[in-house]
Amino acid sequence: MGLQFIRPNTKIDFVGFRYVAYCVSAALILLGLVSLVIKGGPRYGIDFAGGIIVQVKFEEKTDMNQVRGALEGLKLPGMVIQQMGAAEESEYLVRTSSSEVSSEEVRSMIGQSLAKDLPQAKGEIRRLEMVGPKVGADLRSKALEAMYYAILLIAIYISGRFEQRWTAAGIMAAGLFVGISALQFLGLSTSWLIVGAMVITLGLCLYLNLTYALGAVLALIHDVIITVGAFSLMNKEFDLTVIAALLTIIGYSLNDTIIVFDRIRETLRYGKGGTFAEVINTSINQTLSRTILTSGLTLIVVVCLYLLGGAVIHDFALALLIGIFVGTYSSIFVASPILLHFGKRRMAQDSAPAKA
């Protein structure tokens, strides 16, 4: 028997708080979406938007205003200067959306300006990266597709794994193929294709009564939207490392949801627990120790990465920090209540053999 620090007979009424949780989730999602609309979408990093990034390190203490003053005369389009690490480290990222000049020209221009205006600081260019706008657009499209297909395959897997309905899962996959083909025929952009495909996925889950998949997919969408919204509110950039973090969050949140769903299925199979709401509450309480231990230990590691990992993985760790917290919350307060709302008919089918 696994380690437990919460009493086995704990009876917290989690589903009783579902409407409060819905309001909290709706407020967080709305706040993030408003931020995205106001800012015209996510703030894409160089990986997705294209451009040039230069990392500069100064031997003497130099503040951002001094660096900005030294470089503003270059008139590089869309230039943004960002501090890396602590202020005393005097390390900065210089980003520009310019694609009309070569990387070596940018290196020379920045190096000469720093040597001229800040000679005593002894600035050194440590890194220079350049991504063309076409490559950035392709990367953005592939990143969206990766997240969508991850969620789609998860929906198909859960439909077969928990409801033993591989035929229905196959029908859903076929329906999605037809739906996406129709959307592509209309010439929609990748972003709208993903939105349309996600709506079709949820609609098919409802139509085919794939309630476990519906709960899991909505929880995953909930986690991704809140994490993306938080990054928009904090004016953080989206790059490939953040996409990697979002895919990690999807996997982590799914694992937590599967633990709860597995216990719900076992309880239904053996005809224990009373009403469906009582079954869900009992299952969440029985897995609470495991959930808190797993999430707590993971968060400790991620906090260490965030505080000590350096500027390169700072945003990656921040996305994980937000996503793991939200993913743990959604497994209890989003996925399970959705299963309660849409799964009563499914529960009657599952529990019928136990009553025989």
Side-chain angles (χ1 to χ4, degrees), residues 143 146-148 150 242-252:
M147 285 194 291
Y148 166 68
V242 176
I243 295 300
L246 290 176
L247 290 170
T248 304
I249 289 166
I250 288 173
Y252 182 89

Side-chain angles (χ1 to χ4, degrees), residues 24-302:
V24 171
S25 293
L28 292 173
I29 290 172
L30 183 62
L31 197 61
L33 291 177
V34 168
S35 175
L36 287 168
V37 170
I38 291 174
K39 296 177 180 179
R43 181 186 168 201
Y44 292 117
I46 188 173
D47 292 337
F48 298 143
I52 299 172
I53 181 171
V54 182
Q55 181 178 338
V56 182
K57 169 72 174 177
F58 295 92
E59 293 183 11
E60 302 294 330
K61 186 174 181 181
T62 308
D63 64 37
M64 191 178 296
N65 290 330
Q66 291 176 292
V67 179
R68 186 175 289 110
L71 299 179
E72 63 183 359
L74 298 179
K75 304 297 182 183
L76 291 171
M79 187 177 71
V80 176
I81 300 173
Q82 178 184 352
Q83 182 174 296
M84 294 183 66
E88 58 270 14
E89 294 179 3
S90 297
E91 193 164 3
Y92 300 92
L93 285 179
V94 181
R95 302 172 185 268
T96 173
S97 58
S98 175
S99 58
E100 298 177 357
V101 293
S102 69
S103 57
E104 288 307 314
E105 287 177 314
V106 172
R107 178 192 292 271
S108 176
M109 291 165 63
I110 291 177
Q112 290 176 9
S113 293
L114 293 177
K116 177 183 176 182
D117 296 338
L118 298 172
Q120 75 286 352
K122 299 179 182 178
E124 176 192 358
I125 296 177
R126 291 192 164 185
R127 175 169 62 104
L128 188 146
E129 295 178 5
M130 183 175 185
V131 177
K134 178 67 167 62
V135 174
D138 289 343
L139 286 173
R140 188 165 65 244
S141 174
K142 296 298 182 184
L144 286 171
E145 289 178 13
M147 285 194 291
Y148 166 68
Y149 283 115
I151 293 176
L152 170 61
L153 292 173
I154 284 166
I156 293 172
Y157 166 74
I158 288 180
S159 300
R161 166 86 153 71
F162 284 94
E163 306 186 63
Q164 298 301 311
R165 300 178 65 195
W166 291 104
T167 301
I171 293 172
M172 181 171 67
L176 270 168
F177 176 77
V178 173
I180 291 173
S181 298
L183 292 174
Q184 287 175 331
F185 180 77
L186 296 174
L188 297 179
S189 66
T190 302
S191 299
W192 284 110
L193 277 175
I194 299 302
V195 172
M198 204 63 73
V199 171
I200 294 172
T201 300
L202 295 174
L204 287 170
C205 285
L206 272 173
Y207 178 75
L208 297 169
N209 197 28
L210 300 172
T211 50
Y212 285 96
L214 180 65
V217 169
L218 281 175
L220 295 178
I221 295 172
H222 165 278
D223 300 343
V224 170
I225 291 176
I226 289 182
T227 305
V228 171
F231 261 59
S232 178
L233 287 167
M234 292 185 289
N235 205 31
K236 293 286 187 180
E237 289 188 346
F238 284 83
D239 55 21
L240 288 174
T241 61
V242 176
I243 295 300
L246 290 176
L247 290 170
T248 304
I249 289 166
I250 288 173
Y252 182 89
S253 179
L254 175 68
N255 177 67
D256 212 21
T257 300
I258 282 179
I259 291 171
V260 178
F261 279 7
D262 218 17
R263 186 57 59 90
I264 292 171
R265 185 184 62 164
E266 288 177 5
T267 306
L268 290 174
R269 179 182 296 169
Y270 296 109
K272 301 176 182 179
T275 66
F276 199 16
E278 290 170 346
V279 167
I280 292 175
N281 259 333
T282 300
S283 301
I284 295 173
N285 279 287
Q286 288 175 348
T287 57
L288 196 57
S289 287
R290 181 174 177 178
T291 297
I292 293 175
L293 280 171
T294 304
S295 301
L297 291 172
T298 308
L299 281 172
I300 289 172
V301 175
V302 174

